[in-house]
Amino acid sequence: MVLVDGETGQTITRDGYSHLMEDENGAEFPWRRKKFSDVIKGKLLKEGKEVDATEELKGQIIGLYFSAHWVGCI
């Protein structure tokens, strides 16, 4: 299920079915992508001190790396 913004014609999501299954009551509808600043907010540690994520990351280019020790293990 693809959701399209009726005003702009831009695609909101191409994965509407998955969103619907995860959010059956539609609390997050229309399931637009969240801004990075909405996802990463609060406090971060920088050189051992707490800093505000919004202010610290504003205007920065950010790369995130996720890993787990069990990835690739059989």
Side-chain angles (χ1 to χ4, degrees), residues 16-69:
Y17 181 79
S18 293
H19 289 293
L20 180 61
M21 293 295 99
E22 294 171 5
D23 182 21
E24 294 178 8
N25 295 324
E28 299 291 324
F29 183 79
W31 308 300
R32 295 183 188 277
R33 287 186 179 175
K34 293 180 181 175
K35 295 179 182 178
F36 185 77
S37 59
D38 291 337
V39 177
I40 305 296
K41 55 186 171 183
K43 302 291 181 188
L44 297 175
L45 283 179
K46 180 180 180 181
E47 299 173 359
K49 297 180 183 178
E50 282 191 359
V51 295
D52 181 72
T54 304
E55 291 301 315
E56 191 66 30
L57 301 177
K58 192 177 211 175
Q60 302 293 318
I61 296 174
I62 308 297
L64 300 175
Y65 173 75
F66 295 92
S67 183
H69 71 281

Side-chain angles (χ1 to χ4, degrees), residues 8-21:
T8 65
Q10 291 186 321
T11 301
I12 295 172
T13 182
R14 294 180 186 272
D15 200 14
Y17 181 79
S18 293
H19 289 293
L20 180 61
M21 293 295 99

